[in-house]
Amino acid sequence: MKTISKQKNILLFSFLLIPILLLLVFVLYPLIELVRLSFTDWNGVEAQQVYIGFDNYIKMFTDSSDVWLSLRNNGIYFIFHSIMIPLELMIAVLLDSKIRASKFFKTIVFMPYIINGVAISYIFAFFYSPINGGLNGILEVLGLESLIQNWLTNDSIVNISLVFVSIWRFSGFHVILFLAGLQSIPQDQFEAAEIDGANSIQNFWYIIVPGVKKVLEVILFLNVVGALQVFDIPYIMTQGGPGHASSTFILYTLETAFKFNSFGMASAMGITMLILILILNGVQNRLFNLKGVGEE
């Protein structure tokens, strides 16, 4: 018996060894290094790394208005995506009902998510172009010439233009997640509600919304992470411009590291982003009375 038990322990250890090593090498060690570098003035080139305490963190929020501008832009992504969540749920409910060609519409809704982000950015850069661009062309055909403008160079609307691209790309994925949640709701609940005379609004509020609560939790978490990590769309379409009007926190972090050669500051910004995600996710779960991801 001892031999069998020993073999089981050896087998278990063998299976766990590689994942644990990968976790230590590619997750834990880089995180520790990131924290260490955030307290130095390392420029990313020279070997010298001078310890400067919390100077990077203090300087980040006191000496650079672009950091706050970038965080404000991240907030715009978060707010607009949050506003879209009820609409995404209603679209999922509609697609889950017995309508004609529902599979076709599900495919159409999910299609933007599987398209490469670079391709989407170039498509919408042409769509917003002031020279032969699709959007201005549509407005001209509709007789709305007064609304024609430079959608990506006007700093008052450039973020709204970019947020629309982000919503177009990710809303379909959220709809599919809601569809998965809807299909997990037992049908006998709807049958019982029908016998009790419940209408569509009551079904939606008392059966569907509680039924997709866990999916809503995941989508809210993805919303926080996605809003703080948005990068490819503003980088490709505007390079964060005009000026820094459309820059996001991660885009400004990369500029700090590779354009201004301030890896210590960029490390501090990376740690700050991680802390922001943890705080916002905790606050979000508290507000919506939801448990953390992965909890029972």
Side-chain angles (χ1 to χ4, degrees):
M1 292 297 291
K2 288 185 178 180
T3 304
I4 295 176
S5 178
K6 187 177 180 180
Q7 288 177 346
K8 285 182 177 178
N9 290 334
I10 293 174
L11 186 63
L12 182 63
F13 178 76
S14 302
F15 279 127
L16 290 177
L17 179 62
I18 293 178
I20 290 175
L21 284 177
L22 291 175
L23 183 67
L24 292 174
V25 172
F26 293 106
V27 178
L28 190 59
Y29 173 71
L31 179 61
I32 294 173
E33 271 295 289
L34 192 67
V35 173
R36 187 186 66 79
L37 288 174
S38 70
F39 294 105
T40 70
D41 66 347
W42 189 42
N43 61 12
V45 179
E46 299 175 354
Q48 185 180 18
Q49 299 175 3
V50 178
Y51 176 77
I52 57 174
F54 287 92
D55 285 2
N56 284 330
Y57 292 93
I58 297 172
K59 186 178 177 182
M60 183 196 326
F61 291 111
T62 57
D63 288 358
S64 177
S65 60
D66 293 333
V67 171
W68 292 106
L69 178 62
S70 301
L71 285 173
R72 188 208 67 173
N73 294 338
N74 286 109
I76 293 174
Y77 283 87
F78 175 77
I79 290 171
F80 276 87
H81 273 282
S82 298
I83 292 173
M84 285 296 297
I85 288 176
L87 179 61
E88 292 163 355
L89 177 56
M90 286 189 280
I91 293 174
V93 172
L94 181 64
L95 291 177
D96 192 49
S97 61
K98 296 178 180 178
I99 62 172
R100 283 189 175 182
S102 63
K103 290 184 179 179
F104 170 76
F105 288 117
K106 290 175 186 174
T107 304
I108 294 298
V109 166
F110 188 62
M111 190 67 73
Y113 182 71
I114 62 176
I115 299 176
N116 183 275
V118 176
I120 289 175
S121 300
Y122 277 115
I123 290 171
F124 275 91
F126 176 73
F127 183 67
Y128 286 133
S129 173
I131 303 173
N132 297 325
L135 181 54
N136 284 342
I138 292 172
L139 293 174
E140 187 175 358
V141 170
L142 296 176
L144 301 173
E145 289 87 354
S146 61
L147 298 179
I148 293 176
Q149 54 187 300
N150 295 328
W151 301 96
L152 298 180
T153 55
N154 185 340
D155 56 3
S156 63
I157 61 168
V158 60
N159 284 300
I160 304 300
S161 303
L162 297 178
V163 166
F164 175 79
V165 180
S166 179
I167 289 174
W168 184 85
R169 183 183 179 192
F170 291 105
S171 286
F173 177 61
H174 296 167
V175 170
I176 296 301
L177 290 179
F178 276 130
L179 273 170
L182 289 172
Q183 291 172 3
S184 68
I185 300 175
Q187 286 300 311
D188 55 3
Q189 293 187 17
F190 293 103
E191 295 170 359
E194 185 179 359
I195 293 172
D196 291 339
N199 56 36
S200 300
I201 296 176
Q202 291 170 323
N203 282 344
F204 180 82
W205 190 250
Y206 294 108
I207 297 178
I208 292 176
V209 172
V212 298
K213 193 175 180 180
K214 298 298 289 185
V215 176
L216 181 61
E217 177 185 359
V218 174
I219 290 177
L220 289 173
F221 177 74
L222 292 176
N223 194 13
V224 171
V225 176
L228 284 174
Q229 293 186 338
V230 61
F231 167 71
D232 51 355
I233 292 174
Y235 179 74
I236 295 171
M237 295 182 67
T238 64
Q239 294 278 315
H244 284 90
S246 63
S247 180
T248 59
F249 192 69
I250 194 166
L251 183 57
Y252 189 67
T253 300
L254 291 175
E255 281 188 354
T256 302
F258 298 103
K259 189 174 181 180
F260 306 130
N261 289 334
S262 181
F263 276 68
M265 173 68 78
S267 300
M269 296 174 73
I271 294 298
T272 301
M273 185 175 67
L274 177 62
I275 295 172
L276 281 175
I277 290 174
L278 295 175
I279 292 175
L280 290 175
N281 186 47
V283 171
Q284 187 173 260
N285 288 341
R286 174 80 65 171
L287 288 175
F288 287 89
N289 194 25
L290 297 173
K291 297 178 181 178
V293 175
E295 294 181 4
E296 293 296 325

